[in-house]
Amino acid sequence: MRPPLTALLTALVAVAAVELPGVAPATASTSSTATTAVEGGATPSPSPPVGAGRLDVAPLQALVDEAAEDDVRLSVGVQSLGGATLTEGPVVVGSREPYSSASLIKVALVVAALRAVDEGSLQLDQVVEVTNSDDVPGSGVIAGYSSPYPATVAELAELAVTVSDNTASNVLAETVGLDAVDRLVDDLDLEPTHMGRLFFSDGPAGESNDLDTASTVELLRAVHEGEVLSAASRDLLLGWMRDQQLDTKFAPVLEGVPLASKTGDTSRVSHDGAYLLEEGRETVLVVLSETEDGRSPTAAADPYLAEVAEEVAAQVAAAPPAPAPAPTATAAPRDAAVGDAVRTALEEPLEESGSALPAVGTALLGVLAALALAVVALRARVLLRRRRRRARRG
């Protein structure tokens, strides 16, 4: 007879074999410049052109090229959500280099704060005192409130998104910690996204706030698909983004489109990251821009952001809606296989011995087996998501 610990370890091995059967990195084509291998050889050939029901990148590439001739570095990211409406993965057109983040980094900051709320280390109704010493220039309203002002974490996060409040964002960042943003980046593989300093702050030396199109698309996708926040926290963030009051960039040209967005701009960059939320056609759209000749990005780059938004919104509206999700056919057999593996590993040794563990011991082994199953299954899903993300970004 195998001792109970050996039986439990055997169950773990059996569960791992069921949950991780020969996992291989997924592959994805992310733009019209992607290549496919030619049978039996190393010569790559262009992917087939995008067709009906798929994102047509040609007009987006034309806008990127036009912007480049106008000394505007432009980058466009698009990804369908909840089904393959326009894209089967993230599509990036234009520059893939990082940009100064401006206020668009506030999305990552608020996600990090809401994740801390979900984990229990922070509470939405937790009060943080805002004083005159916290006030910084730029957009926002809280700097005009009476000092000291008792703001809740929820209020700080909402102001950071809806009016891009710099003072509220800094107080929130100090409350949750910039390292919380680093952990979010590590967990979701969002490099080069980085928040190294507060807004209107000179330090620490050498630190900056940066992001790129691919990582921003991935963050918005992960939030929408429930991979990083609880349903309640996700709905809070999307609600704040829908209530965005800085209605520039995409908003003026997408008045009839359900939109949840966050903008950002400085003297050199102008960005917008958004959800187009028409039911069945939900889509992430991110456009980053930078002027390279000293001109105001609001004047020089925002017209390109508007044209990209109009083009993508038109394609989204013309695309067929994503099919309703079907029941997962493999879930029941997989769960049954896992259950059989655990029962076989734990029960058969007892039958062979002709004896039985006391009821308490049996119950304890059952609890341990269930916990082990949950840990292995969660780890498997994390590994699979990371491999798919890396394959898509590669």
Side-chain angles (χ1 to χ4, degrees), residues 53 80 98 104 163 248:
S80 297
L104 189 52
V163 295
T248 59

Side-chain angles (χ1 to χ4, degrees), residues 33-393:
T33 59
T35 59
T36 54
V38 177
E39 182 178 355
T43 304
S45 62
S47 296
V50 288
R54 298 288 300 278
L55 180 70
D56 182 1
V57 300
L60 303 179
Q61 185 64 58
L63 286 168
V64 167
D65 295 341
E66 182 182 342
E69 292 176 359
D70 195 20
D71 291 321
V72 174
R73 181 167 69 99
L74 195 67
S75 183
V76 179
V78 184
Q79 183 165 6
S80 297
L81 302 171
T85 302
L86 277 180
T87 78
E88 293 179 351
V91 174
V92 175
V93 182
S95 175
R96 294 173 181 263
E97 297 302 313
Y99 289 75
S100 174
S101 71
S103 290
L104 189 52
I105 195 69
K106 292 171 185 174
V107 175
L109 169 62
V110 172
V111 170
L114 289 174
R115 194 162 75 147
V117 170
D118 290 340
E119 294 168 350
S121 59
L122 199 65
Q123 288 75 46
L124 286 172
D125 59 358
Q126 180 176 326
V127 175
V128 183
E129 190 174 85
V130 183
T131 68
N132 288 335
S133 63
D134 297 312
D135 293 349
V136 293
S139 59
V141 296
I142 203 170
Y145 294 177
S146 60
S147 177
Y149 177 75
T152 64
V153 166
E155 185 177 5
L156 293 172
E158 180 177 7
L159 288 172
V161 176
T162 57
V163 295
S164 201
D165 195 304
N166 290 323
T167 299
S169 298
N170 283 353
V171 175
L172 181 65
E174 290 178 319
T175 302
V176 70
L178 292 180
D179 57 334
V181 181
D182 288 338
R183 288 194 298 273
L184 174 71
V185 169
D186 289 343
D187 291 346
L188 294 184
D189 194 19
L190 298 178
E191 294 84 2
T193 298
H194 178 61
M195 186 174 181
R197 60 175 177 80
L198 301 180
F199 297 96
F200 287 90
S201 166
D202 294 329
E207 286 288 351
S208 59
N209 297 338
D210 306 291
L211 44 71
D212 69 355
T213 306
S215 64
T216 306
V217 168
E218 173 59 17
L219 174 60
L220 294 178
R221 184 206 63 80
V223 167
H224 186 274
E225 302 300 286
E227 295 179 9
V228 62
L229 295 176
S230 68
S233 290
R234 167 192 175 276
D235 291 347
L236 266 180
L237 177 58
L238 265 64
W240 293 333
M241 292 178 71
R242 281 193 293 267
D243 291 340
Q244 167 74 254
Q245 295 179 36
L246 303 179
D247 55 351
T248 59
K249 324 298 181 193
F250 298 165
V253 296
L254 299 181
E255 291 184 355
V257 178
L259 187 69
S261 71
K262 179 70 191 80
T263 62
D265 50 67
T266 67
S267 61
R268 289 198 62 183
V269 302
S270 181
H271 310 320
D272 204 341
Y275 297 103
L276 281 59
L277 291 173
E278 182 181 350
E279 187 174 356
R281 296 182 175 89
E282 292 87 349
T283 305
V284 168
L285 172 60
V286 174
V287 185
L288 309 183
S289 67
E290 180 180 24
T291 52
E292 300 179 332
D293 57 2
R295 288 177 300 161
S296 162
T298 302
D302 279 11
Y304 294 107
L305 271 71
E307 288 190 65
V308 168
E310 285 183 301
E311 173 61 36
V312 172
Q315 291 197 42
V316 168
T328 306
T330 58
R334 183 197 66 184
D335 292 345
V338 171
D340 290 344
V342 173
R343 280 191 295 273
T344 299
L346 290 178
E347 295 174 1
E348 283 187 355
L350 302 180
E351 294 173 358
E352 291 171 1
S353 68
S355 63
L357 288 176
V360 174
T362 302
L364 179 59
L365 281 178
V367 171
L368 290 174
L371 290 173
L373 172 59
V375 169
V376 172
L378 178 60
R379 181 60 179 163
R381 294 188 183 98
V382 170
L383 290 173
L384 286 169
R385 283 200 300 268
R386 285 182 177 175
R387 289 177 178 178
R388 292 192 185 108
R389 283 198 299 269
R390 287 168 183 161
R392 287 197 300 264
R393 295 182 65 185

Side-chain angles (χ1 to χ4, degrees), residues 3-17:
L5 179 58
T6 303
L8 181 58
L9 292 175
T10 303
L12 283 173
V13 172
V15 170

